[in-house]
Amino acid sequence: MLPGTLHPKSYLTKSARKELEFTKPIAKGAGKAEAKRVQEHLCLNGHAVPIDGNFGPATEQQVKAFQSARGLPANGIVDMATFEKLVDPMVRALQPVSTAGKSLSQLVVDYARQHVKQHPLEVGGPNAGPWVRMYLGWEGVAAKWCAGFVCYTLEQAADALGKKPPIASSASCDVLAERAKMAGLFVPEKAVAAGTAPRPKDGSFFLVRRTPTDWIHVGILFDAGSKTFGTLEGNTNSNGSSNGIEAIEQVRNYSSKDFIVWP
């Protein structure tokens, strides 16, 4: 069962649906997978507990604290009402936004902002937790999720308009760059610097370039100025890391950046 607060027109991938499905009440003595899921969401909601897959006294106490804070009966049992409150940030990120008079590029920014507002964050280890699994379908040290984040918002925006995304999604920045080149949507930094290509428009992807054939990070661009642009990006931090722990809004410059610009 999906949360009743989830709008019917919300964009749900298989991995998103799996993160939001509720099958049965979860309480002390629950199985490891169910306990881990509750512990992850408790931590994401500010009620920290070790994520060890053991629904014992500590987890039960934090469930009760979470329930009390949300005005729910504090019985330590994760029923549907408690589960809905735990996953509420994800539900809010997936809600549809108005498409009135908006292009695909504008909607990409709108959806990315909606996600960032809910503070997608790793939990339980590097590149791990419900947000990472939702964007990628898997987790782990190697699960760098910046591409998963931008591709999810692109798919969400395209779905809202009843269109297919201009390029197929990928968890790889290099693959996204190659697909953009094949579709005629790739704009190199040098073309923008020389004025032979316009500044990328809102909703374009920026790619952080390590070598001419290797890109190590991707995010969404808006408000492109002459020297800097705003970004909405996942798997980063305030230092601009290409393997951070959260999705945030920040500002970057054009150095070592190439772009994917939507038609």
Side-chain angles (χ1 to χ4, degrees):
M1 181 185 302
L2 292 172
T5 52
L6 189 69
H7 193 283
K9 291 186 178 180
S10 296
Y11 177 71
L12 287 176
T13 60
K14 183 178 180 180
S15 56
R17 181 177 292 274
K18 184 176 180 180
E19 291 303 319
L20 294 174
E21 281 181 334
F22 179 81
T23 57
K24 62 181 179 181
I26 307 167
K28 193 173 180 180
K32 185 172 182 178
E34 291 83 3
K36 178 176 179 284
R37 188 182 189 193
V38 168
Q39 291 166 341
E40 289 172 333
H41 283 288
L42 284 170
C43 290
L44 289 170
N45 280 280
H47 293 266
V49 66
I51 301 173
D52 57 8
N54 175 26
F55 199 129
T59 300
E60 184 179 48
Q61 180 177 322
Q62 287 294 58
V63 169
K64 289 179 179 179
F66 174 81
Q67 289 170 325
S68 293
R70 298 304 192 279
L72 298 168
N75 56 16
I77 300 170
V78 180
D79 54 12
M80 187 64 188
T82 302
F83 181 77
E84 284 189 339
K85 294 292 186 182
L86 284 170
V87 301
D88 184 63
M90 280 188 158
V91 169
R92 289 176 181 270
L94 297 174
Q95 301 285 27
V97 302
S98 173
T99 62
K102 294 177 183 175
S103 66
L104 175 66
S105 294
Q106 291 169 321
L107 280 174
V108 169
V109 173
D110 286 350
Y111 276 113
R113 276 208 172 102
Q114 184 165 274
H115 280 253
V116 168
K117 186 176 180 180
Q118 301 307 319
H119 196 201
L121 181 70
E122 297 174 12
V123 65
N127 299 329
W131 288 100
V132 177
R133 295 193 299 267
M134 185 178 80
Y135 293 135
L136 286 182
W138 59 293
E139 64 182 345
V141 174
K144 294 184 178 181
W145 51 282
C146 59
F149 171 79
V150 299
C151 288
Y152 198 105
T153 56
L154 175 61
E155 291 177 7
Q156 203 172 9
D159 181 75
L161 292 172
K163 299 179 177 180
K164 287 186 176 181
I167 60 173
S169 295
S170 174
S172 165
C173 297
D174 291 349
V175 171
L176 288 177
E178 292 306 315
R179 288 176 178 172
K181 288 179 180 180
M182 292 178 64
L185 302 174
F186 183 87
V187 177
E189 175 191 354
K190 60 185 179 181
V192 177
T196 56
R199 293 176 193 165
K201 59 186 178 180
D202 289 4
S204 302
F205 286 3
F206 71 88
L207 291 154
V208 178
R209 186 181 64 253
R210 180 161 54 190
T211 73
T213 58
D214 182 25
W215 294 267
I216 59 172
H217 186 64
V218 61
I220 293 163
L221 169 155
F222 65 93
D223 287 348
S226 59
K227 296 182 179 180
T228 63
F229 52 85
T231 74
L232 296 153
E233 50 188 296
N235 201 186
T236 189
N237 57 27
S238 58
N239 292 325
S241 171
S242 60
N243 191 22
I245 64 168
E246 60 190 335
I248 61 174
E249 179 176 332
Q250 58 184 329
V251 175
R252 289 184 180 263
N253 60 36
Y254 287 89
S255 178
S256 300
K257 312 291 192 310
D258 296 313
F259 306 93
I260 303 175
V261 181
W262 313 122

